[in-house]
């Protein structure tokens, strides 16, 4: 769904900024850059029974034995930073044998992945799946991005989320000690991809990073390109003035705290992705309403010079969540089909399933 954007005139920085409970229309595209998925009517392959993801299972201690194969997702609490608790969704492999693990960092907003998890990750047949959620996010919540409570908005920022996710992954790595080593993929969905380079050192046996609906550019650069695309450059510039100004981090502007925007304005992503030693697989939709195509192509030009493997695939007609509604196609399942193909011959490399006859990764049709 393409958001309706009504550009507003540029504003001078104010001494006091009123706290807004919701994003204004001018930058609603950015505040809505969450887990923007439309899976209605999409059926994951080889669907099995199990607990409904819309009804989270009781929270269980993270130290207990993991989910049984083909048991569906369960909700579990894991430690974050400073004594905080994060809620996760965990699932064992759907089909024997177990070949790899997938760790997922979801997109922005305060909705959980529980209601769509069974379908969304259905194509991961031979993988254990671990989905992290930000503090305060119920995996079963369906809250729209503009309706996130103030308690969430006031604490939501990249640096805080990174600290909690890092603590959770360190705890996860400790639990894996003594178990057979498995290759692991770190998957970032939209905003979640912005944490991947910083989290990569916490994942043992990391086989690669997967970016879904994420340009790879520094978020401030991608946001500026999107603002230009939708005619909201004045609002973006005004926001930048506030970011550089005196208002406290707790002040809410455009549906986010200034602390969130300040982190975003200074968050490095492109250089860490370009310099990282891990294989990088990136998939995006040509009809992405939240990230402009120029952002994806600009990063691809830079990433072509990576020393580590890089491959990108554009899915024509697909939206930000890789859904191509007109054709009834769920592009996320295509991503999992590629990872399943890779893990059967891991020596060929993560990008091998996407390589064309000339050694490139042509756009999907």
């Amino acid at each position: 769904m393409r958001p309706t954007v009504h550009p507003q005139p540029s504003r001078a920085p104010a001494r006091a900024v009123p706290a807004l409970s919701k994003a204004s229309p001018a930058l609603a595209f950015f505040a809505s850059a969450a887990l923007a998925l439309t899976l209605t009517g999409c059926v994951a392959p080889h669907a099995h029974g199990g607990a409904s993801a819309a009804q989270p299972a009781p929270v269980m201690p993270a130290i207990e034995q993991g989910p049984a194969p083909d048991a569906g997702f369960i909700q579990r609490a894991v430690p974050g930073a400073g004594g905080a608790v994060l809620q996760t969704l965990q699932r064992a492999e759907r089909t024997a044998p177990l070949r790899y693990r997938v760790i997922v960092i979801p997109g922005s907003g305060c909705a959980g992945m529980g209601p769509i998890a069974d379908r969304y990750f259905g194509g991961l047949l031979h993988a254990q799946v671990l989905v992290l959620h930000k503090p305060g996010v119920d995996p079963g919540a369906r809250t729209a991005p503009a309706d996130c409570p103030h308690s969430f908005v006031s604490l939501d920022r990249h640096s805080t989320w990174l600290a909690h996710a890092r603590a959770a992954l360190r705890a996860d790595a400790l639990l894996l000690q003594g178990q057979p080593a498995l290759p692991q993929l770190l998957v970032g969905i939209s905003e979640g991809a912005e944490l991947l380079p910083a989290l990569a050192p916490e994942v043992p046996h990391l086989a690669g990073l997967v970016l879904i609906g994420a340009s790879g550019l520094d978020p401030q650069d991608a946001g500026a390109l999107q603002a230009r695309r939708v005619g909201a450059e004045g609002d973006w510039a005004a926001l930048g003035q506030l970011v550089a100004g005196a208002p406290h981090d707790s002040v809410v502007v455009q549906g986010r705290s200034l602390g969130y925007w300040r982190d975003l304005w200074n968050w490095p992503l492109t250089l860490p992705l370009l310099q990282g030693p891990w294989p990088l697989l990136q998939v995006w939709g040509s009809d992405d309403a939240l990230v402009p195509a120029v952002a994806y192509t600009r990063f691809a030009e830079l990433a072509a010079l990576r020393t580590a493997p890089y491959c990108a695939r554009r899915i024509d007609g697909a939206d930000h969540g890789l859904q191509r509604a007109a054709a009834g196609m769920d592009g996320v399942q295509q991503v999992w089909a590629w990872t399943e193909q890779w893990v059967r011959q891991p020596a060929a490399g993560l990008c091998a399933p996407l390589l064309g006859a000339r050694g490139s990764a042509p756009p999907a049709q």
Side-chain angles (χ1 to χ4, degrees):
M1 180 182 298
R2 292 180 177 272
T4 302
V5 179
H6 304 288
Q8 297 177 350
S10 177
R11 298 181 295 273
R15 292 182 178 272
V17 182
L20 303 176
S21 60
K22 298 184 180 181
S24 72
L27 293 180
F29 70 85
F30 207 93
S32 299
L35 187 61
L37 307 173
T38 306
L39 293 177
T40 303
C42 297
V43 180
H46 309 292
H48 296 282
S52 169
Q55 298 295 327
V59 174
M60 300 174 67
I63 60 173
E64 292 191 3
Q65 187 174 348
D70 200 27
F73 280 93
I74 64 172
Q75 180 177 328
R76 281 190 169 163
V78 301
V85 174
L86 308 185
Q87 297 299 327
T88 71
L89 294 172
Q90 300 183 30
R91 194 210 72 186
E93 68 277 13
R94 299 176 70 126
T95 304
L98 170 63
R99 291 191 168 108
Y100 64 123
R101 291 183 87 231
V102 174
I103 299 173
V104 182
I105 313 299
S108 64
C110 56
M113 291 201 72
I116 63 170
D118 283 332
R119 289 175 292 164
Y120 192 89
F121 300 108
L124 289 171
L125 301 180
H126 297 277
Q128 292 178 350
V129 183
L130 169 64
V131 185
L132 300 183
H133 289 83
K134 293 180 180 181
V137 173
D138 177 355
R142 300 172 180 265
T143 312
D147 294 328
C148 293
H150 181 73
S151 59
F152 172 83
V153 172
S154 63
L155 298 176
D156 182 31
R157 57 188 299 175
H158 282 45
S159 56
T160 302
W161 179 208
L162 174 59
H164 290 304
R166 182 178 281 139
L169 291 185
R170 287 176 178 172
D172 179 65
L174 286 175
L175 291 176
L176 294 178
Q177 288 184 354
Q179 299 184 23
L182 287 173
Q184 300 198 84
L185 296 177
L186 191 53
V187 176
I189 304 170
S190 190
E191 180 194 89
E194 293 162 9
L195 273 61
L196 297 193
L199 292 177
E202 311 302 337
V203 181
H205 312 294
L206 181 62
L209 307 185
V210 179
L211 279 62
I212 295 178
S215 72
L217 296 182
D218 291 352
Q220 195 276 340
D221 293 336
L225 290 172
Q226 175 70 347
R228 181 186 306 168
R229 176 197 197 185
V230 300
E233 292 172 282
D235 296 277
W236 191 253
L239 180 57
Q241 290 179 317
L242 288 172
V243 165
H248 193 270
D249 281 356
S250 62
V251 171
V252 177
V253 181
Q254 302 289 1
R256 308 279 194 173
S257 72
L258 273 179
Y260 175 93
W261 292 118
R262 284 171 176 145
D263 275 6
L264 181 143
W265 237 253
N266 298 286
W267 198 260
L269 180 61
T270 303
L271 193 58
L273 285 176
L274 296 180
Q275 295 180 338
W278 351 266
L280 180 61
L281 188 161
Q282 180 184 37
V283 187
W284 55 283
S286 67
D287 291 357
D288 190 334
L290 302 180
V291 182
V294 64
Y296 289 110
T297 56
R298 185 171 297 181
F299 178 76
E301 292 170 355
L302 297 170
L305 302 177
R306 287 182 96 235
T307 56
Y310 166 74
C311 49
R313 180 66 65 96
R314 184 192 71 238
I315 298 181
D316 288 340
D319 61 16
H320 185 64
L322 303 188
Q323 305 305 299
R324 192 161 66 180
M329 175 192 173
D330 178 2
V332 175
Q333 303 312 313
Q334 178 61 68
V335 177
W336 307 147
W338 288 324
T339 66
E340 289 281 317
Q341 184 179 343
W342 153 74
V343 82
R344 284 173 170 80
Q345 294 182 310
L350 182 61
C351 288
L354 279 72
L355 294 179
R358 287 183 271 181
S360 61
Q365 302 297 324

